[in-house]
C-alpha cells in the first residue's frame, strides 16, 4: 500500500480549517491564471466570480487529501479493520487495484477501483471524497459568508464543484467512470 497526499483530518474542525486555509491559495491561482490570459480589470471583475474562486478552493483542498492506493485484498482488510465506517465504493468490483480516502470524523470512506490509470483514479477519488464526505458538512455549517471570495466580490484584482465531480453544483458536469481509469 502507498499513500499520496497529506490531509487526513481527524475532526470536522480540522477539515474546515484546512478548507478555509485553501482559500487564499485558490484566489492567487485564479488571479495568476487571469493575468496569464491577459484579463484587464473589467474582464476580471466580470468573469472571475466567487463561484470560480470557490471551485478553485475545492480543488486545492481535495488535491491535498490523503489517498491510500493498494490491492483489493489490502482494501478489504482495511474495511474489515474499520467495521463502523460507511464505505462507498465506485467502479468495477472486477479490477485488482483500489484507491480510498477515509474521513475518521465522519466514520466514512470513499473508494474507487482501477486497473491501470492510477493517477486518474486518485483524481476521481479526491473529487468524489470532497463531494461525498466534505462539501455536505461544510455547507451545512456555513451561513453563506465566505472570506475566500470576499475580495472577488469587492472587485479586487490583486497585484500582478459539482455533484458529479465533487467541485461545483453538478449542472454542467459529466459523469466520470473510474472503473477503467
Amino acid at each position: 500500500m502507498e499513500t499520496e497526499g497529506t490531509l487526513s483530518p481527524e475532526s470536522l474542525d480540522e477539515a474546515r480549517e484546512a478548507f478555509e486555509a485553501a482559500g487564499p491559495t485558490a484566489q492567487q491561482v485564479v488571479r495568476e491564471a487571469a493575468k496569464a490570459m491577459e484579463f484587464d480589470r473589467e474582464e476580471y471583475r466580470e468573469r472571475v466570480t466567487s463561484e470560480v474562486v470557490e471551485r478553485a478552493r475545492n480543488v486545492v483542498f481535495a488535491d491535498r487529501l490523503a489517498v491510500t492506493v493498494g490491492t483489493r485484498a489490502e482494501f478489504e482488510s482495511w474495511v474489515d479493520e474499520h467495521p463502523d465506517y460507511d464505505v462507498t465504493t465506485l467502479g468495477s468490483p472486477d479490477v485488482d487495484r483500489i484507491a480510498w480516502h477515509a474521513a475518521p470524523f465522519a466514520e466514512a470512506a470513499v473508494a474507487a477501483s482501477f486497473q491501470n490509470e492510477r493517477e486518474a483514479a486518485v483524481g476521481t477519488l479526491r473529487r468524489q471524497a470532497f463531494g461525498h464526505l466534505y462539501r455536505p458538512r461544510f455547507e451545512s455549517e456555513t451561513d453563506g459568508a465566505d472570506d475566500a471570495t470576499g475580495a472577488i466580490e469587492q472587485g479586487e484584482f490583486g497585484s500582478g464543484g459539482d455533484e458529479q465531480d465533487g467541485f461545483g453544483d453538478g449542472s454542467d458536469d459529466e459523469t466520470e467512470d473510474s472503473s477503467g481509469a
Side-chain angles (χ1 to χ4, degrees):
M1 284 189 301
E2 298 175 46
T3 301
E4 295 183 19
T6 59
L7 183 60
S8 185
E10 293 292 326
S11 70
L12 183 56
D13 287 341
E14 186 180 338
R16 170 51 86 184
E17 287 174 19
F19 184 66
E20 289 174 359
T25 300
Q27 193 168 12
Q28 189 61 37
V29 167
V30 170
R31 279 188 193 131
E32 291 300 319
K35 281 174 47 177
M37 292 185 286
E38 299 179 352
F39 284 12
D40 60 24
R41 286 182 185 270
E42 183 177 331
E43 185 173 18
Y44 183 88
R45 285 186 190 120
E46 184 178 302
R47 296 186 65 189
V48 179
T49 64
S50 59
E51 181 182 350
V52 170
V53 175
E54 184 65 24
R55 283 185 176 223
R57 176 167 69 170
N58 296 349
V59 171
V60 169
F61 173 83
D63 193 54
R64 293 188 50 222
L65 293 175
V67 173
T68 304
V69 180
T71 64
R72 182 164 296 280
E74 289 169 328
F75 172 67
E76 289 173 359
S77 176
W78 181 89
V79 169
D80 290 344
E81 293 169 8
H82 298 84
D84 294 335
Y85 276 51
D86 179 26
V87 179
T88 300
T89 304
L90 309 166
S92 172
D94 299 324
V95 294
D96 299 328
R97 311 259 311 143
I98 297 188
W100 68 94
H101 172 77
F105 67 87
E107 290 190 331
V110 176
S113 64
F114 68 98
Q115 191 63 40
N116 298 316
E117 300 294 331
R118 174 183 173 142
E119 187 175 324
V122 168
T124 296
L125 173 66
R126 284 182 168 137
R127 290 187 297 275
Q128 293 296 326
F130 179 78
H132 288 286
L133 303 174
Y134 295 96
R135 182 201 294 135
R137 288 167 177 85
F138 293 161
E139 288 177 351
S140 71
E141 65 177 28
T142 184
D143 62 356
D146 190 347
D147 293 339
T149 57
I152 296 297
E153 292 166 350
Q154 296 168 16
E156 178 183 312
F157 186 76
S159 58
D162 66 53
E163 302 229 358
Q164 295 300 325
D165 72 7
F167 294 137
D169 65 7
S171 62
D172 61 355
D173 299 303
E174 297 178 17
T175 302
E176 292 188 29
D177 178 13
S178 65
S179 62

